[in-house]
Amino acid sequence: MIMQKLQESIGKLNNPFVVGLDTKIDYLPHGVSSVVEFNSGIIDSIYDVVAAVKIQIAMYEERGVEGIEEFYRTAEYAKGRGLMVIADVKRADIGDTAVSYSKAYLSRDCIDFITLNPYLGYDSLAPFFEDSERYDKGVFILVKTSNKSSGDIQNLIVEGRPLYEVVADKVAGWGAVHMDGGYSRIGGVAGATYPDELKRIRGIMRYNYLLIPGYGAQGGTAEDIARALDGDINGILINSSRKVLLAYRKSNKDYREAARNKVLRMKEELRDAFNDRVQ
Amino acid sequence: MIMQKLQESIGKLNNPFVVGLDTKIDYLPHGVSSVVEFNSGIIDSIYDVVAAVKIQIAMYEERGVEGIEEFYRTAEYAKGRGLMVIADVKRADIGDTAVSYSKAYLSRDCIDFITLNPYLGYDSLAPFFEDSERYDKGVFILVKTSNKSSGDIQNLIVEGRPLYEVVADKVAGWGAVHMDGGYSRIGGVAGATYPDELKRIRGIMRYNYLLIPGYGAQGGTAEDIARALDGDINGILINSSRKVLLAYRKSNKDYREAARNKVLRMKEELRDAFNDRVQ
């Protein structure tokens, strides 16, 4: 259900972008007094043009108990507006402990997807896979991350090919038994900042959604993504955080209007890049 | 300072065990009504026989905002009793985001150490390294975890040797510029359930503390550890959680007395195992 819903929503909106609510206190414009107020304003302005928001929990954890409260209030507000919610938590732990992490997120109504780190192997991920079926949720497993040093571990050569390809293979295999319509509940994370790697990962993970960070502020472009994916826009979610949240700083508009305009402009740029590629 | 303090405390107590406060609601004995009450009782009963406690945040995150409040209250209570506190959070994210995670834990007085996941590479860890100097704290990076599937990724062969050895090499290298007395602020995690791997990791990471999980309930024994370390008990912390927290279920004693007795018994078993090995 969830993967079909995601696919339908992206298709209807004609927009694979998700807005990353990685809100820091110093992002708040004059006159906005809390993170939840800011996030709610952003959500109100983009709920009808994107399928999902991604909430990076680190910025909320930084502010302790109060921050965690704001994390959940943001997730609930987005959910109430009809958006799907990705909790970007990148959790990983041994089996018993993973059960607790999975319950923490996947058992909650306000969260649809979480991100996970594969370093501990299958049994650290299995509780999330089980809960994805139980609660009709999905997960995205880190394959190739968008940061500069991601190659330190992820590009080490394992039997003739980079580790991220081995991980992509494993994720595709694990995901094959958790299909929901045409796509698996188990997706991957592959950064827009490494288009060659993204292309190889897409080649391996054909039935898995790819969550693509690194667009915009980190340097990945619409052309990079369109080229990497050979003009096929299906099965992807592209995250943009700062470019949307801080769009108001480069305009004279209210932060909400600036955010909406930015999302609509990114959507057009992306369609253009993919159309150029296809033609 | 912190690493010297850790070393002195373990030396004085003659005990490298840390107690893991991975408290689940169903661990509470009859008459104990909250996780914080239970944890405080455990802390009161072991504060003078161990150097540190390790708090696994997953069990607290599972209970949402309330759980996070209990996590911090537990850390503060342990700190107030003179214990060092390891926040077992296994966090990992790209640089900017890692800054927030680092602030969330290392900037707080009640936390001395955290655990980290290396999959995203150096720049995802650097903010924690910087903060370890700024706030006089330490970190433990996952090298070889104690779970059954840890080999899925960690034992893949990279240029003739397993990935965990490559990671151990990197951690040792990163740690070399963050020395505090005889040991680095940057330590590693290596499970007691894989003594051969633990031996190789010790061989690579000679100036890094090793946090060793997997003792007891997961199957690692004192003899396994003593053998892996060739009878050298320095530079290690061994975690035990369930065996201590649930010791009361195998005795007629109060949970606090049972926990203390268990820790003292484990300490003796460990000394015996190491002495047998040395002689």
Side-chain angles (χ1 to χ4, degrees):
Chain A
M1 287 71 84
I2 186 101
M3 301 313 297
Q4 289 171 292
K5 192 181 152 202
L6 178 67
Q7 209 181 338
E8 280 166 22
S9 180
I10 294 171
K12 205 175 69 186
L13 298 166
N14 205 6
N15 189 7
F17 273 105
V18 303
V19 170
L21 296 169
D22 308 0
T23 312
K24 298 184 184 184
I25 293 289
D26 62 10
Y27 285 10
L28 308 188
H30 191 71
V32 174
S33 61
S34 80
V35 167
V36 171
E37 182 190 343
F38 180 79
N39 289 348
S40 303
I42 295 282
I43 289 164
D44 287 343
S45 74
I46 52 92
Y47 78 96
D48 58 338
V49 291
V50 298
V53 290
K54 179 173 85 64
I55 316 178
Q56 168 54 261
I57 201 169
M59 282 74 186
Y60 300 83
E61 268 183 58
E62 183 177 354
R63 288 180 283 106
V65 171
E66 190 193 338
I68 297 298
E69 203 159 353
E70 292 175 336
F71 172 84
Y72 285 117
R73 282 178 61 199
T74 298
E76 278 159 14
Y77 192 80
K79 200 71 199 159
R81 276 299 210 168
L83 288 162
M84 303 178 91
V85 175
I86 304 167
D88 191 1
V89 296
K90 298 187 178 67
R91 297 299 190 249
D93 217 300
I94 64 168
D96 278 358
T97 306
V99 168
S100 287
Y101 273 138
S102 183
K103 291 281 169 291
Y105 301 101
L106 295 185
S107 76
R108 285 178 194 267
D109 288 341
C110 62
I111 289 165
D112 297 292
F113 298 95
I114 56 171
T115 56
L116 300 173
N117 183 311
Y119 190 69
L120 283 82
Y122 177 76
D123 64 12
S124 72
L125 302 164
F128 300 96
F129 298 167
E130 285 161 29
D131 279 349
S132 78
E133 300 281 356
R134 181 175 299 125
Y135 299 112
D136 190 26
K137 304 290 169 83
V139 308
F140 294 97
I141 299 175
L142 301 183
V143 177
K144 173 67 184 171
T145 57
S146 59
N147 58 314
K148 275 215 174 64
S149 307
S150 70
D152 280 357
I153 307 293
Q154 297 160 27
N155 284 41
L156 290 171
I157 301 299
V158 178
E159 289 168 18
R161 58 192 195 142
L163 176 61
Y164 73 81
E165 285 192 30
V166 178
V167 173
D169 247 358
K170 286 184 191 288
V171 174
W174 295 330
V177 293
H178 296 286
M179 298 299 288
D180 169 33
Y183 284 97
S184 174
R185 295 175 184 277
I186 319 299
V189 174
T193 44
Y194 297 104
D196 293 343
E197 282 88 340
L198 175 57
K199 185 186 180 75
R200 298 167 82 102
I201 291 165
R202 174 84 296 170
I204 297 168
M205 299 175 66
R206 304 216 65 92
Y207 306 104
N208 312 81
Y209 258 85
L210 295 180
L211 174 60
I212 303 176
Y215 176 91
Q218 289 183 55
T221 68
E223 289 70 27
D224 290 335
I225 299 171
R227 183 165 44 83
L229 301 177
D230 274 333
D232 181 358
I233 204 166
N234 294 300
I236 59 168
L237 286 170
I238 305 170
N239 181 69
S240 184
S241 302
R242 272 169 289 174
K243 287 271 184 194
V244 176
L245 303 188
L246 300 180
Y248 73 90
R249 291 190 183 166
K250 297 194 173 177
S251 80
N252 298 321
K253 303 238 168 8
D254 175 84
Y255 78 99
R256 291 160 291 202
E257 197 180 343
R260 183 183 178 87
N261 289 347
K262 182 72 188 168
V263 170
L264 292 174
R265 208 152 55 239
M266 291 185 333
K267 173 184 159 180
E268 290 314 312
E269 283 168 15
L270 192 77
R271 301 304 307 184
D272 287 350
F274 273 82
N275 285 337
D276 287 351
R277 192 72 206 172
V278 169
Q279 281 153 9
Chain B
M1 286 76 84
I2 186 104
M3 301 313 296
Q4 290 171 292
K5 191 182 151 203
L6 179 66
Q7 211 182 336
E8 280 165 23
S9 180
I10 293 172
K12 205 175 70 186
L13 299 166
N14 205 5
N15 189 7
F17 274 106
V18 303
V19 171
L21 296 169
D22 308 359
T23 312
K24 298 185 184 184
I25 294 288
D26 63 9
Y27 286 10
L28 307 188
H30 190 71
V32 174
S33 60
S34 80
V35 167
V36 171
E37 182 191 345
F38 180 81
N39 290 348
S40 303
I42 295 281
I43 290 165
D44 287 342
S45 74
I46 52 94
Y47 78 96
D48 58 339
V49 292
V50 298
V53 290
K54 180 173 84 64
I55 316 178
Q56 168 54 260
I57 202 169
M59 282 75 186
Y60 300 83
E61 268 183 57
E62 183 178 353
R63 286 177 286 106
V65 172
E66 190 193 340
I68 297 299
E69 203 158 353
E70 292 175 336
F71 172 84
Y72 286 117
R73 283 178 60 199
T74 298
E76 278 159 13
Y77 192 81
K79 199 72 198 159
R81 276 299 212 168
L83 289 162
M84 303 178 91
V85 175
I86 304 166
D88 192 1
V89 297
K90 298 187 178 68
R91 297 297 190 253
D93 217 300
I94 65 167
D96 278 358
T97 306
V99 169
S100 287
Y101 273 138
S102 184
K103 291 281 169 290
Y105 300 101
L106 295 184
S107 76
R108 285 178 193 266
D109 289 340
C110 64
I111 288 165
D112 298 292
F113 298 94
I114 56 169
T115 56
L116 299 173
N117 183 312
Y119 190 69
L120 284 81
Y122 177 75
D123 65 11
S124 71
L125 302 164
F128 299 96
F129 298 167
E130 286 161 29
D131 279 350
S132 78
E133 300 281 355
R134 180 175 300 125
Y135 300 112
D136 189 27
K137 304 290 169 84
V139 308
F140 294 98
I141 300 175
L142 301 183
V143 177
K144 173 67 185 172
T145 56
S146 59
N147 57 314
K148 275 214 174 65
S149 308
S150 70
D152 280 357
I153 307 293
Q154 297 160 27
N155 284 40
L156 290 171
I157 301 299
V158 178
E159 290 169 19
R161 58 192 195 140
L163 176 61
Y164 73 81
E165 285 193 30
V166 178
V167 173
D169 248 357
K170 287 186 190 287
V171 175
W174 295 330
V177 292
H178 296 285
M179 298 300 287
D180 169 33
Y183 284 97
S184 174
R185 294 175 184 278
I186 319 299
V189 174
T193 44
Y194 297 103
D196 293 343
E197 283 87 340
L198 175 57
K199 186 186 180 77
R200 298 166 82 102
I201 292 165
R202 174 83 297 170
I204 297 169
M205 300 175 65
R206 305 217 64 93
Y207 306 104
N208 312 82
Y209 258 84
L210 296 180
L211 173 61
I212 304 176
Y215 176 91
Q218 288 183 56
T221 68
E223 289 71 26
D224 291 335
I225 298 171
R227 182 165 44 82
L229 301 176
D230 274 334
D232 181 358
I233 204 166
N234 293 301
I236 58 168
L237 286 170
I238 306 170
N239 180 68
S240 183
S241 302
R242 272 170 288 175
K243 287 272 184 192
V244 175
L245 303 186
L246 299 181
Y248 74 89
R249 291 189 183 165
K250 296 195 171 175
S251 80
N252 297 320
K253 303 235 168 11
D254 174 84
Y255 78 98
R256 292 160 290 202
E257 197 182 342
R260 182 182 178 87
N261 290 347
K262 182 70 187 171
V263 169
L264 293 174
R265 211 154 51 240
M266 291 185 333
K267 173 184 159 179
E268 290 314 311
E269 283 167 15
L270 192 77
R271 301 305 303 186
D272 287 349
F274 273 83
N275 285 336
D276 286 353
R277 191 71 205 171
V278 169
Q279 282 154 10

